[in-house]
Structure formats: structure tokens, C-alpha cells
Amino acid sequence: MGIFGALQSAVSGLKAQSHAMENISGNIANSQTIGYKRIDTSFLDLIPDAPVKSQVAGAVSAYSVATNTLRGDIQNAETETYMALNGSGFFVVEPGDGSGGTYYTRRGDFDSDRNGYLVNGAGYRLTGLAMNNGVVTGSVAQPIQIDNSFLPAKRTTSVNYQLNLPLLPKTASYQATAPGSELLKPWNFGSVLGTPNYPKASGAGLPASTPAYAIGSLVNGTALASSLVQDNDRLNVTINGTTYGIRFNTDNASTPSVTIASSNTGYPANTAATTVLNVPSANLAALAAAGFTFGGQAISPAGATAADLEAAVAAHPDVASATYDAAAGTLTVTYNAGDRAAAPTTAVAGGNGLITFGSSTPGTVAGIGKTTVLNISPQELEVLHQKNDISVGNPPVAVDFGAQSADAAGLLAAFQASFPGATVGYNAATGQMTIAHPVPAAIEAADAATTGSGEEIVANGTINTMLADMQQKLRDLSGDSELTVGLKNGQIAVSLAPNSTSALAFSSARAGTMSGAVLGLDSVTDAATGSNVTAAVAPASMMVEQGDSISFTIGGITRTYRMDITGSLTGMAPGEVKINAGGTVADMLAAIQADLRANGGATASLMTLNANGGTIEMNFNGNYTADVRVTGTAANKFNINGNYDAEPGTLNTVLASDSDRFVSESISGGGITVYSQTGEPINLQMRWAKLSNETGKESWGLFYASDSRAGATTAWTKLADYAYEGGILAGITPNPAVASSSGTEKLTINNLSVNGTMYGSIDIDHGMKGMTQFADNSGAATTTTLKQNGYGAGEFISVGISDGGRVVASYSNGETREVAQIITASFSNANALKRGDGGAYTATSESGEAIIGQSGEGIVGSSTEASNTDISEEFTKLIVTQQAYSANTRIVSAADDMLKEALNMIR
């Protein structure tokens, strides 16, 4: 072959490179064609048959290689019906002219034509399977045609409603400082059903009468009595006008109640007084010359003899005789009998010291008797009267006070009877008794002794023992065997017998350095009867005894109270509260009330316990939700023991006049538009009102706005009550007038009525555990799902492709409809498909039959697949092909030159 073989090989090379150049040209030309698959060129060497050592390179043949399985880039598109395949496979199409036949393409620039078919840029119609209500109904692929007619309205039949209710709803009426203010209060509404009631009771009345009593110092009963009183301190206790003066004995040494203030000595009637003057005989002459004064009169002796001196003094009108003793130097003067005082005990005036006072006989002249003054406190007259042991004098003269009245007049009469002839006087203001004795027949001794026992309280131990002794002695004195003296919650208390109407009063006389009223007893609560008996004056001890108890159980909370009258109550059980019952009934009840309000829970926050009207009254005001149980010995005595039910009433509808109140006591549950059979929109507004906040067993009411028209009677209607336990919905109780339920998952409104129009039944589907009640700081309901299945009529707007390969029609009412499922085809050998115009392919025997997929897998809406041609790569191949073609032309030229040389050789 030689040169001719070389020429043939070069020609085959030119032909093969021309084929490659044609493919490169087509690829570059279609680099912007949607879904285009480039064609690569492959070369095949052609070797003529020859012995091995004679074989030559041979010629070449070119053939096309498809790249149908190589995906181009996916690009976003604004047209909603454009689509691309992200992966292998082809759209199944047919010619747009209706000529029939099945083709396959990767070109996804489909759009609606005038007949509603989805046609791509090459004119092929997209095929798929028909759908109805989201379900594939077709079994044979048909060209997809979009119906652009109106979408008919659909009545709402179901609402999917799920939310979390707050544990504490912060309604407009909620106040953080007012427990229970977050609850709906049906009893305040005009449409409430039933008989709303809060627990209350009217119990025992106050005593018909209360005795007088006094409350004194706050003390420790085991302290020493001497820390409170001093020896001989006196407390005057007046009962019903009679005063009992009692004194306190701290040193165990008794002090009589009658004492001598003063007493002088009496003298006989006929004893004359004498006075002795000192006149030394040596002074007589000088004294006669000077003179002197005696008894208020000037004395001038006539001479210096003793006789002169005696005569001068005897001349005094009051002097009976004067005798001078020259040896002793004394002048004894004897007075005339008569009522006059003894001579002065001072020196005789005058005489320039020549005469001095010697002695004067004490006593009085005739007619002057002795006088005794006694101290007798007017406050102790009653005690002295009862003791009746007064005596005066030595030897003692008994005074029979007990035979007379127990007053100042009786005391005077008793002393007058014991001392006849004496002048007796008693000054009640100063407490002094004066006995002026008559002129005695002989010298009498002064009254140096007296007796008269008062009542002494032993105060040398503790305060408790002192008060016990005081109680017994006051009982003995007054005859009131039920009089009490003791401690009431640490305060000294004195009370007359329970049925006593006597008055009580106190006054004090301190004997030492302590000041203030003895035992702190300076004010008294007077006895009262009838309407004057009030809780503010009635002693609590008249209604309860030490240790009595009363328990209140409300809303799962129990509070127990023990009455402590004396302040010494012990043995308290855990959780019990000690109540001071040592004061008045009002104080006792107020203490119980205060603790219940503070610690009895929200339902007890407004309770009252008092006896303001003369009867024990218990009222759990505002508590229409929690029952109350009252037990205990004190409850029995108050006559309020028992069970008391709370009844809030039922609120199934809310009057328009109460609408604002309802809104302020509820929280929004959201709203949703539902549709009637004709597509009329209905605004369904819902609100939640908490009905009970009993821990772990809360309940709520679901209401909807049933009529918002002007002049409407009913504004809101309740659908159902929802009970929660531990935050989880435990039960639904529908309002039988409008609803029914299926467990806790579904509530059915039997015939929804809004603004007077009936819209048929609607199911409210809560799902599994879709309704909860957990704490939320916002205090508002948190809606997690709220959607419905109805819609109004809608106008066709557009069509789009979902990523699942479904053709979706959109309507003006916001609804969408899946009208067809796009199918795809895949092949065992997709590169063996036969290429046609417009990026369409047909199956061949080499490609195998199409494998149809209905899942829409890999379909991407609003996208197109770009050509898989790479321009840079194609240019590279172009250069290589051009060089190869040029090289083949050189071979032809060289072979031609070689032939010419051969021919020239012959020539």
C-alpha cells in the first residue's frame, strides 16, 4: 500500500477530526440551551490485516459519545412551573401538537399554554398522574392540564387547637398582692347559674353578762414577788363599793393595821403644880436691889431677907405660897388650884442671873386629860371589821368594831362605846383616830400599845404563790368564791365571778421606793350585761378553757390553734399555733383571723372571725371555690364546728353588660377565621378563664365570642371546662347546651352560632397532650397550633411545582391544590437514548425500556438545569482537533509530493 495507504489514513483522519469538530461546534452552540447534553467524540483505529511484522498504524474512524447522565448546574428560576432534575432520570413528555408518542427530556422550562397544558420551550407537553384531595388517583400518565376555574368554598369542620395555659394567668384584674384575683368570679355575673355561696357560720353568742376585771403587769410567774412589791405596800381592792385594803408581807414579819401615832400621860385633878427656883442666900441683897420677872409679872422684894423674898413672890396672883430654904438656896413656889399650864421650863427672866430655874413639876392642873392618836387607814376598815380584834391601851381596852357598821361611822361608834366619856374623832382623809380622854382621877400611863389585824398577802415567795394567796384571801374577804387572781398570758389578771355584776376598782399605797400602781392594777373593765356585752370587753376565758383547740381546713391547707389563757401552755404539736386567750374575745378571734388570712391560702385571705354582733360569726368572704371544715373543742364551744361548702355558681354564658368584667378576668386564647358552607368568613375568638387554683387540680373554662352585635344579650358562651392535674389535661366537661367531647383530645361544637347565624358543627382537635398548663412568666396563653380546614371560594392565581414533583395550583383564598404528580423515567443505559430536536429523547433497544417513577424524587421546582457543556473544555478540544486536522493535511501534502517524485522518476 505505502503512499496510497498513508493518503487513505490521512483522509480518514481529516474525516474523523471533521466529525469531532462538528460535535464541538454543536456543543458550543448549545452551551446556553436548557437541559442540553453535550456530545463528545471518540476515535477508533482501523488496522488492515497483515502479518505482525508487516502491520501498519492504519486509518481512523470517529463516533459520537452521549453525556445524558451528566447533570448540568441547577439554576434558580422566577417561573414557578420551571423545574429541574437533581439526579438521573428524565421528564416524560409528548409532542405539543397532539401527534402522540412518548418522549423523554431533561429540559424543564415548562409553562402553561393557552389550553392550560405545561409545555416546555421545545413545545413538549409534560405528563403526569392526576390527583384529587392530595391523593394520586390516576394510573396512566396524561398531559398535565391546569384548570383555572374558581375553587369552591369549603365549610370548616375541624380546628386543630393546641396551647399551654399559664399556671398563673395575669388577667387585667390580677393583683400580685391579692391571692385569687386571677380567677373568674362567676358569682359577680348576672347570668350565673345555681346559688353562689361562700362558707359561713353563725355560732354561739357572747355571755349574757361579763364581770368586772383588770389586767396588770406583764411578769414572769416564777420570779420573786419582792421584785414586784415591797414590804407593807398596800393594794386597795374595791368590790361593789366595799374596799378591802390588803398589804404585802415580803419579810414574814407582820405589821398591824392599827398603830399609835402619839399619846401623852394624864394627871389627877387636884395636883397643884410647883416650881423650884434657885436663889443662893448670897444673892438676896443684890436680887432685892435688881428685882426679877416671874410668871409674866415683875417681882421687887422689899428687903434682902428670905421673908422679903417669900412675901414678894407670894403676892403673885397665881401663887398660893412661896417657901425659901436658905441652906439649899431654893425657893419653892406652889400655885393655886385651877386650869393652867405648868410653869415655864426655861430660866426665869430678869434678875441678872441672880435667880435661875430649878425644876417644874410636869403635868397639868385640874381638867386636862390625856389624848391618844391612832393610825387607821380607811381602806382597811372592811378588813378590820371582819377581823374585829382592835384594842388600845395597857392594859388593852377592846374595841368591838364588828358590832358596828364597817365604815367610819361604825368605827367612831365602836371607839365611843369602848371609851365612854372620851371625845372620839376620825379623819377619813388622813386616817387618824383621836381619843381625848376625860380628866383622870389619878395619874395614868400613856397609851403605849394597840392591836388591830389587817389582811396580809404572803409575798416572800414567787409571784405565782403570792397571787394564789391573794386570790384566796380576796375570796374570803369578798365572799366571791369564783373571784380569780392569776396570770393570763403573763399578765396579772383579777376578775370577779363570771356572773357577777359588781363594780371593781383599785388604788395603791406604796411603802418603799417602788412607784406606780401595785401589780400594775390601775384600770378596770367594768361589768356588762345585755347589749353592753361586746367582744371587746368579754374575757376570752369565759368562752374557752386552757388548751382548747380549733382547726380550719380550706383549699388543702389546715391550720390548728390552741388557746393559751395563762401563758403557760405546753405540749404543742407540730404545726399548731398558740393563741393568746388571756385577753378579750375580740383579741382572741382577731389573732386567729390574722393567722388564717396570712397562712390559710388564697381562699382564706379575706376571711373574718369576730363577734361584733354579739354572736361568733365566721365568714370566708370571696371564697366561692374551696370548702371549709372546722373542728376542735374550741370550735364546739364557738358552735361553728362542721363542714361548710363553697359554691361559685356556674357561668355558661356572659351577658353583654358583663363583657368588660369577663374580659378583665380572662386571658386571650387566640382567634381564627373559620368558614361557612358558602365561604362566609367567621371570626372565632376564644378566651380562657381560670375557675379554680387548687394545687394540682386547676380548672379552666373555654369561652368563645358568640355575639358581638350592638344590642345583643349574650356576648360570650362557654364551650367546656378543662381540668388539669400536674399541668396535664385530665378531663373535659363540655357545656351540654352547645358542645360534646371525646376524651381529652376532641371537643365538638354541636352548632356554632356567631352573631345569630348557625354555622354547623365544628370539631376542636387538641391532639395528644396538646393542652398543657405550666408556669409562664408572661401569664398569657401560648398557642402552639391553631389552624382549621375550611376556606372561602378562591380564584386561580398561579401554578407551581413542589420539590416533591407535584403540580400545585394556588388560589386567591390562600389555598393550594395538588393537581398532578409529575412522573420521571430512568433507563438502564440512558446514554443509548436516541436524541431528537428540542432536547427530547426516545428509547432504543440499547437504552432499554423506561422505568417510571411516581415519587417525584429529585424534582426541584422554580429551577432549570443548564447545559452540561463546559466552554473552556470545548475550546481546548477545538484547538486539539484543529491541530490534528492540520497535521493530517500535511500528510496528504507530503504523500502527494512523494507520488510526484515517483512519477518524475519514470519520466
Side-chain angles (χ1 to χ4, degrees), residues 25 42 46 110 148 184 217 220 222 259-260 298 302 414 464 476 500 503 547 555 561 661 726 740 812 906:
S25 175
S42 187
L46 301 175
F110 294 96
N148 60 1
L184 180 71
S217 300
N220 180 351
T222 60
T259 61
I260 294 179
N464 283 334
D476 293 341
S500 172
Y561 306 96
R661 178 191 295 274
S740 58
S812 59
I906 296 174

Side-chain angles (χ1 to χ4, degrees), residues 356-533:
T356 60
F357 174 77
S359 65
S360 178
T361 303
T364 61
V365 294
I368 299 177
K370 66 180 180 180
T371 300
T372 300
V373 180
L374 306 178
N375 290 323
I376 304 177
S377 171
Q379 287 79 16
E380 297 187 64
L381 293 183
E382 177 63 31
V383 176
L384 289 168
H385 185 267
Q386 292 190 26
K387 299 284 186 178
N388 199 25
D389 61 354
I390 299 175
S391 68
V392 179
N394 188 15
V397 176
V399 177
D400 190 4
F401 187 22
Q404 306 294 333
S405 60
D407 54 19
L411 183 68
L412 281 172
F415 269 88
Q416 193 67 65
S418 297
F419 297 99
T423 300
V424 179
Y426 182 65
N427 187 336
T430 62
Q432 288 196 334
M433 169 66 73
T434 302
I435 308 171
H437 295 276
V439 176
I443 295 176
E444 294 181 350
D447 291 327
T450 185
T451 62
S453 301
E455 193 63 83
E456 289 188 323
I457 305 302
V458 178
N460 59 358
T462 66
I463 292 175
N464 283 334
T465 59
M466 175 185 69
L467 296 179
D469 188 50
M470 177 177 168
Q471 172 179 283
Q472 186 58 53
K473 289 177 176 175
L474 280 177
R475 284 182 174 183
D476 293 341
L477 290 171
S478 65
D480 185 348
S481 61
E482 296 180 82
L483 178 148
T484 59
V485 179
L487 295 182
K488 287 189 176 181
N489 263 289
Q491 284 187 285
I492 295 174
V494 179
S495 176
L496 302 184
N499 60 353
S500 172
T501 59
S502 298
L504 178 66
F506 298 91
S507 63
S508 300
R510 289 288 192 176
T513 58
M514 291 184 180
S515 60
V518 174
L519 305 185
L521 297 170
D522 55 0
S523 63
V524 173
T525 299
D526 294 331
T529 59
S531 61
N532 291 326
V533 177

Side-chain angles (χ1 to χ4, degrees), residues 604-888:
S605 62
L606 298 176
M607 74 85 58
T608 60
L609 184 65
N610 57 53
N612 293 339
T615 301
I616 300 290
E617 298 286 346
M618 175 189 73
N619 292 287
F620 281 83
N621 303 299
N623 168 33
Y624 291 83
T625 58
D627 297 339
V628 175
R629 176 176 173 79
V630 187
T631 59
T633 54
N636 292 332
K637 292 173 181 178
F638 294 161
N639 197 24
I640 59 172
N641 57 308
N643 298 319
Y644 303 93
D645 296 334
E647 176 53 54
T650 301
L651 193 65
N652 287 339
T653 58
V654 177
L655 299 177
S657 58
D658 285 330
S659 182
D660 290 343
R661 178 191 295 274
F662 171 74
V663 170
S664 72
E665 295 181 4
S666 59
I667 58 175
S668 173
I672 190 171
T673 301
V674 297
Y675 297 89
S676 68
Q677 188 69 44
T678 60
E680 179 184 358
I682 308 163
N683 185 13
L684 183 61
Q685 290 291 329
M686 292 170 285
R687 293 191 74 84
W688 291 88
K690 195 167 189 182
L691 306 176
S692 171
N693 59 5
E694 184 176 354
T695 304
K697 295 182 180 180
E698 293 85 359
S699 64
W700 291 76
L702 172 60
F703 293 76
Y704 81 98
S706 54
D707 202 334
S708 58
R709 296 172 298 173
T713 300
T714 299
W716 297 85
T717 299
K718 184 168 72 173
L719 296 175
D721 291 337
Y722 288 66
Y724 287 85
E725 292 185 6
I728 304 301
L729 183 62
I732 300 177
T733 304
N735 177 2
V738 296
S740 58
S741 65
S742 300
T744 60
E745 299 175 17
K746 184 182 292 185
L747 176 70
T748 299
I749 305 175
N750 294 329
N751 198 352
L752 178 67
S753 173
V754 177
N755 293 338
T757 303
M758 309 300 288
Y759 293 95
S761 297
I762 294 180
D763 291 336
I764 298 181
D765 188 356
H766 296 309
M768 291 292 293
K769 298 182 180 179
M771 304 294 289
T772 57
Q773 182 207 241
F774 296 115
D776 189 322
N777 289 335
S778 71
T782 303
T783 302
T784 55
T785 302
L786 182 56
K787 57 185 179 181
Q788 53 86 41
N789 65 349
Y791 46 82
E795 181 182 0
F796 175 80
I797 296 177
S798 64
V799 64
I801 308 300
S802 72
D803 287 344
R806 294 189 173 184
V807 180
V808 181
S810 298
Y811 298 87
S812 59
N813 59 3
E815 290 296 310
T816 59
R817 287 291 176 270
E818 295 176 339
V819 298
Q821 173 65 59
I822 300 171
I823 61 175
T824 59
S826 60
F827 297 89
S828 298
N829 183 9
N831 286 330
L833 291 172
K834 184 178 180 181
R835 185 187 296 259
D837 291 340
Y841 299 86
T842 56
T844 65
S845 58
E846 288 84 0
S847 68
E849 294 295 327
I851 303 170
I852 302 300
Q854 300 181 8
S855 66
E857 182 179 358
I859 296 177
V860 182
S862 298
S863 302
T864 56
E865 180 183 357
S867 169
N868 66 355
T869 298
D870 186 337
I871 296 294
S872 62
E873 183 180 345
E874 295 301 316
F875 272 110
T876 301
K877 290 191 293 183
L878 174 62
I879 294 170
V880 172
T881 301
Q882 181 184 7
Q883 293 296 324
Y885 188 89
S886 179
N888 278 292

Side-chain angles (χ1 to χ4, degrees), residues 33-295:
T33 301
I34 295 174
Y36 174 79
K37 302 298 179 183
R38 76 175 187 270
I39 298 177
D40 291 339
T41 304
S42 187
F43 299 92
L44 177 67
D45 57 337
L46 301 175
I47 306 299
D49 188 22
V52 174
K53 291 188 177 182
S54 299
Q55 287 183 321
V56 293
V60 67
S61 175
Y63 64 92
S64 298
V65 178
T67 60
N68 297 339
T69 57
L70 297 179
R71 178 179 63 80
D73 293 336
I74 303 298
Q75 300 175 335
N76 292 330
E78 294 182 358
T79 304
E80 295 181 359
T81 52
Y82 282 13
M83 64 196 84
L85 284 169
N86 186 12
S88 61
F90 298 83
F91 299 112
V92 180
V93 295
E94 64 177 36
D97 58 6
S99 60
T102 301
Y103 295 85
Y104 308 97
T105 186
R106 297 279 292 191
R107 181 165 186 154
D109 56 340
F110 294 96
D111 204 352
S112 297
D113 66 6
R114 63 182 180 178
N115 296 316
Y117 291 105
L118 290 178
V119 180
N120 68 8
Y124 288 92
R125 294 175 178 172
L126 181 65
T127 65
L129 301 177
M131 296 184 68
N132 186 24
N133 292 329
V135 178
V136 176
T137 57
S139 58
V140 177
Q142 297 289 337
I144 297 174
Q145 187 177 22
I146 306 302
D147 183 3
N148 60 1
S149 60
F150 268 83
L151 179 68
K154 177 185 177 183
R155 185 179 73 85
T156 300
T157 60
S158 177
V159 175
N160 190 344
Y161 186 31
Q162 300 180 24
L163 84 168
N164 176 67
L165 293 168
L167 187 63
L168 177 64
K170 295 181 179 179
T171 66
S173 297
Y174 167 72
Q175 297 180 23
T177 57
S181 59
E182 73 276 12
L183 299 179
L184 180 71
K185 303 168 183 61
W187 51 90
N188 290 330
F189 289 78
S191 55
V192 64
L193 302 177
T195 306
N197 176 67
Y198 57 84
K200 55 183 175 293
S202 181
L206 294 173
S209 64
T210 57
Y213 64 90
I215 303 297
S217 300
L218 179 66
V219 298
N220 180 351
T222 60
L224 291 176
S226 58
S227 65
L228 191 62
V229 295
Q230 289 180 290
D231 191 60
N232 217 32
D233 278 351
R234 188 177 71 244
L235 179 65
N236 304 311
V237 184
T238 301
I239 301 175
N240 201 29
T242 300
T243 300
Y244 306 96
I246 55 176
R247 287 176 291 106
F248 295 87
N249 183 354
T250 62
D251 59 6
N252 209 28
S254 180
T255 301
S257 292
V258 179
T259 61
I260 294 179
S262 64
S263 178
N264 55 18
T265 304
Y267 293 92
N270 295 321
T271 301
T274 60
T275 298
V276 178
L277 301 177
N278 296 317
V279 186
S281 57
N283 294 340
L284 290 180
L287 186 60
F292 61 93
T293 300
F294 175 75

